[in-house]
Amino acid sequence: MKPDLKLISMGEIRAEEVKWLWYPYLPRGKLTIVQGDPGEGKTTFVLAVIAALTRGEALPESEQALEPLNVIYQTAEDGLEDTVKPRLIEADADQDRIINIREDKKSLHLLDSRIEKAIVQCDARLLILDPLQGYLGERIDMNRANEIREVMKSVGQVAQRTGCAVVLVGHLNKAAGLSSAYRGLGSIDFRAAARSVLVVGRLRKNKTVRIVVHDKSSLAPEGKSLAFQLGDEEGFRWLDDYDEISAEELLSGFTSQPETKTAQAEELIRSMLEDGAELHCEEIIRAAAERRISRRTVNEAKKNISGIVTRKAGARWLWSMEKEDCNIVEVSLKEG
């Protein structure tokens, strides 16, 4: 039996103010993305935020501190005992307020019911998944918009129901020169679902300085760029009064010239076909369209890449990359 149709008018909905863990960077009950290249300090930044919130201390640019709160922190890359724990001790976090959902017998993923159960049971006000790509699950293709929309919608509903701020830590793609909106790995629907996006990068003229740029803010005016010192003898510390820069300036190092669309398409094709993936050419073309790269440019880029293998499966053309130890295959460029 089909469920009954349910309707509600806007007149029946009660208006509510947005609540914040850290205004305007970290809204409660919403999704936030923190992204950057590997080794640029995004996890260190996240752990510093965790430490302050568990101690009830004010963060930079915030008007007042909150009561100490509980945090769920999941990492798919670092060991809890030998990496995360020492870094939290160094950050002077309240260890008893930081909870981990054990993954010894079953890996966690974004649609896992344990996430909401843990938030409720621990009364957590902040959940962090680091990195996002490690929690997609085996069956989710991060480049398919229709799959990512459903996943992000589900995670957003968990955040809204519980009032918990959810932070997804993500890596950037290799397509230097693109607008920061298109630098996140996978579909742009990750960014579309997030209400706040922070980009962390290294300051090229002083490599011990990291900058955090508020690259998207849907619920408040964008906050000023933040800075912290990392890598010298004094360890982590926040810095004051640093010059405002854009995400594009940060990611380009202030000197790089934007790549051509063809070069961007080449990088996209390589990244989507890495690790032996075989994809329908239309999937690659759709991913390129999200980055404002045309079908024609994709086909031109394909000509420049040695080792592209194509085969026809019914009415579909499938693309893959030849393994390094195989001979280069000449392919037809009429499809797609």
Side-chain angles (χ1 to χ4, degrees):
M1 182 176 179
K2 294 183 178 180
D4 292 336
L5 175 65
K6 294 183 179 180
L7 303 173
I8 187 170
S9 72
M10 291 304 295
E12 299 174 85
I13 296 176
R14 185 179 63 183
E16 296 180 353
E17 290 186 2
V18 177
K19 297 179 180 178
W20 299 88
L21 285 186
W22 181 19
Y23 180 87
Y25 307 101
L26 190 52
R28 286 185 53 182
K30 309 294 181 182
L31 303 182
T32 295
I33 290 177
V34 175
Q35 58 188 19
D37 286 322
E40 295 292 80
K42 56 187 181 296
T43 296
T44 301
F45 163 71
V46 166
L47 293 179
V49 171
I50 290 175
L53 292 175
T54 58
R55 295 194 309 265
E57 292 185 1
L59 284 157
E61 300 301 313
S62 58
E63 296 180 359
Q64 59 184 12
L66 301 172
E67 291 294 320
L69 50 82
N70 296 337
V71 177
I72 297 175
Y73 179 68
Q74 303 295 133
T75 175
E77 292 185 339
D78 296 318
L80 297 180
E81 297 84 0
D82 59 9
T83 304
V84 176
K85 176 80 173 183
R87 293 173 76 176
L88 287 171
I89 292 174
E90 184 178 357
D92 196 26
D94 185 339
Q95 306 288 322
D96 293 330
R97 288 188 173 275
I98 303 170
I99 299 98
N100 178 263
I101 303 171
R102 300 303 294 167
E103 301 184 57
D104 308 76
K105 297 182 179 179
K106 182 182 179 182
S107 296
L108 197 70
H109 57 83
L110 287 173
L111 298 179
D112 199 315
S113 62
R114 289 179 291 170
I115 289 177
E116 185 166 2
K117 290 177 182 177
I119 292 172
V120 173
Q121 183 174 326
C122 301
D123 190 27
R125 290 290 173 262
L126 175 62
L127 165 73
I128 295 173
L129 299 174
D130 182 5
L132 159 64
Q133 289 78 17
Y135 292 94
L136 285 178
E138 295 179 355
R139 299 182 180 180
I140 302 297
D141 186 335
M142 65 187 300
N143 292 297
R144 291 187 176 180
N146 60 326
E147 294 183 13
I148 297 307
R149 286 191 197 109
E150 289 302 312
V151 171
M152 296 299 280
K153 179 180 178 181
S154 178
V155 178
Q157 289 172 341
V158 170
Q160 186 168 4
R161 284 194 298 267
T162 61
C164 182
V166 175
V167 173
L168 306 174
V169 181
H171 297 313
L172 296 174
N173 61 45
K174 299 175 184 178
L178 282 177
S179 164
S180 60
Y182 297 93
R183 286 296 311 277
L185 274 181
S187 171
I188 198 172
D189 286 84
F190 286 118
R191 179 186 175 92
R195 301 299 84 196
S196 178
V197 176
L198 300 168
V199 177
V200 182
R202 190 188 304 257
L203 193 63
R204 297 302 185 267
K205 62 185 179 182
N206 184 347
K207 293 187 177 182
T208 67
V209 174
R210 269 60 165 187
I211 305 295
V212 183
V213 176
H214 201 189
D215 192 39
K216 175 185 174 181
S217 182
S218 299
L219 304 173
E222 292 176 0
K224 66 175 293 187
S225 296
L226 307 168
F228 60 93
Q229 193 94 25
L230 186 65
D232 62 10
E233 58 186 18
E234 296 185 51
F236 178 95
R237 66 184 185 280
W238 295 106
L239 300 175
D240 296 325
D241 300 325
Y242 232 87
D243 293 339
E244 194 72 23
I245 66 172
S246 69
E248 280 76 15
E249 289 174 326
L250 179 64
L251 296 176
S252 69
F254 306 97
T255 57
S256 300
Q257 294 298 317
E259 286 187 337
T260 66
K261 289 292 185 182
T262 302
Q264 294 168 16
E266 290 176 25
E267 189 60 50
L268 175 64
I269 293 170
R270 289 191 179 94
S271 66
M272 291 185 70
L273 297 182
E274 66 182 358
D275 299 325
E278 185 178 46
L279 298 176
H280 182 209
C281 65
E282 290 298 327
E283 293 181 36
I284 298 174
I285 289 168
R286 281 196 297 270
E290 290 183 350
R291 294 158 174 79
R292 300 179 185 176
I293 302 172
S294 69
R295 175 188 292 263
R296 176 180 172 277
T297 301
V298 171
N299 283 319
E300 286 298 316
K302 177 170 168 280
K303 297 177 185 179
N304 298 335
I305 302 175
S306 297
I308 292 283
V309 178
T310 65
R311 70 179 181 89
K312 197 168 186 179
R316 296 160 56 92
W317 281 97
L318 302 177
W319 293 6
S320 62
M321 284 288 291
E322 208 179 30
K323 293 182 179 179
E324 292 183 0
D325 57 352
C326 296
N327 294 326
I328 295 175
V329 177
E330 295 295 329
V331 298
S332 169
L333 300 173
K334 296 180 181 179
E335 80 286 357

